[in-house]
Amino acid sequence: ISDVAAVVGHNFSSVAIPASITYNDAGVLLITQGTMPLITEHPFKLIFRSIVSDDRLAQIIADKVESMGYQSVYIVDDRGAYGNTFAILFSEAAQEKGLTVVGHSSYFKKFDPNYLELVQKIREHNFDILFLGGSTPQAAQFISVLREMGVKVPVIGGDGLDSNDLHKIAGDSSNNTITSTLYHPNHY
């Protein structure tokens, strides 16, 4: 590592966070796309992110939900490090904006492979919009089942939904899904 001046990479926080300790100790600059707040919430001087953190993006999405006139939200996450953390951050931001969180559920494909039980539980609540903390392909499959079972409210989520796979997998069920997006030079 003594010949390395900088690392640009580690797209996932779960890799970037532990690697940042090694890079910091070696005096190596790290620029990551990891989005978990913990990446830059430490005294390291050479660790940077190239995109917005999940806590800031959660605030931006809560602002958007409020500005669109929605007042009540149901939150769903995929139980993964990204999806669950992002859902918790969004819940906090939404409540700070005065939005009502009417429920929060998680899915785990292994235990509910068709998402039927979860969607049935969600349908028991009244809400204006659904926040989805997750990534494709599972999030796209979940949205398909959500629509097939009659839940027509808008779905909003983070950059984990920002994929061509969303429409490829969910088809027309992906209509009325709002995603945040990050600039990518290969997709313009």
Side-chain angles (χ1 to χ4, degrees):
I1 200 162
S2 63
D3 293 341
V4 177
V7 173
V8 178
H10 299 302
N11 294 339
F12 300 104
S13 300
S14 59
V15 178
I17 292 169
S20 69
I21 298 166
T22 301
Y23 297 137
N24 183 72
D25 290 349
V28 174
L29 173 73
L30 171 63
I31 301 174
T32 179
Q33 291 182 8
T35 57
M36 291 182 83
L38 183 59
I39 292 172
T40 54
E41 291 179 351
H42 48 66
F44 298 166
K45 302 288 187 221
L46 298 173
I47 311 301
F48 301 92
R49 77 174 86 248
S50 61
I51 58 176
V52 67
S53 65
D54 287 338
D55 56 341
R56 181 63 188 120
L57 186 56
Q59 293 169 352
I60 292 167
I61 293 174
D63 289 344
K64 182 66 175 173
V65 168
E66 181 191 43
S67 75
M68 294 172 73
Y70 299 116
Q71 298 174 357
S72 59
V73 60
Y74 196 99
I75 299 173
V76 175
D77 73 74
D78 66 3
R79 293 191 191 176
Y82 162 75
N84 180 258
T85 301
F86 195 38
I88 291 168
L89 292 168
F90 173 78
S91 179
E92 292 168 357
Q95 291 175 62
E96 286 175 12
K97 298 296 288 175
L99 301 171
T100 301
V101 175
V102 299
H104 184 161
S105 298
S106 300
Y107 60 81
F108 188 57
K109 187 138 175 97
K110 181 177 180 180
F111 299 120
D112 187 10
N114 299 318
Y115 308 110
L116 300 176
E117 289 180 32
L118 174 58
V119 174
Q120 188 59 39
K121 177 181 175 181
I122 292 168
R123 290 178 57 192
E124 295 172 2
H125 299 282
N126 292 320
F127 52 95
D128 302 325
I129 192 165
L130 184 141
F131 175 86
L132 179 53
S135 301
T136 58
Q138 289 83 11
Q141 294 163 350
F142 172 77
I143 291 169
S144 291
V145 173
L146 194 70
R147 300 301 189 215
E148 289 168 12
M149 292 183 68
V151 179
K152 303 298 182 196
V153 299
V155 174
I156 193 165
D159 54 304
L161 301 180
D162 182 26
S163 168
N164 291 333
D165 290 340
L166 178 63
H167 187 72
K168 285 179 187 173
I169 295 167
D172 288 344
S173 294
S174 65
N175 293 344
N176 209 18
T177 299
I178 305 160
T179 68
S180 62
T181 187
L182 305 170
Y183 172 76
H184 191 289
N186 295 332
H187 300 279
Y188 43 137

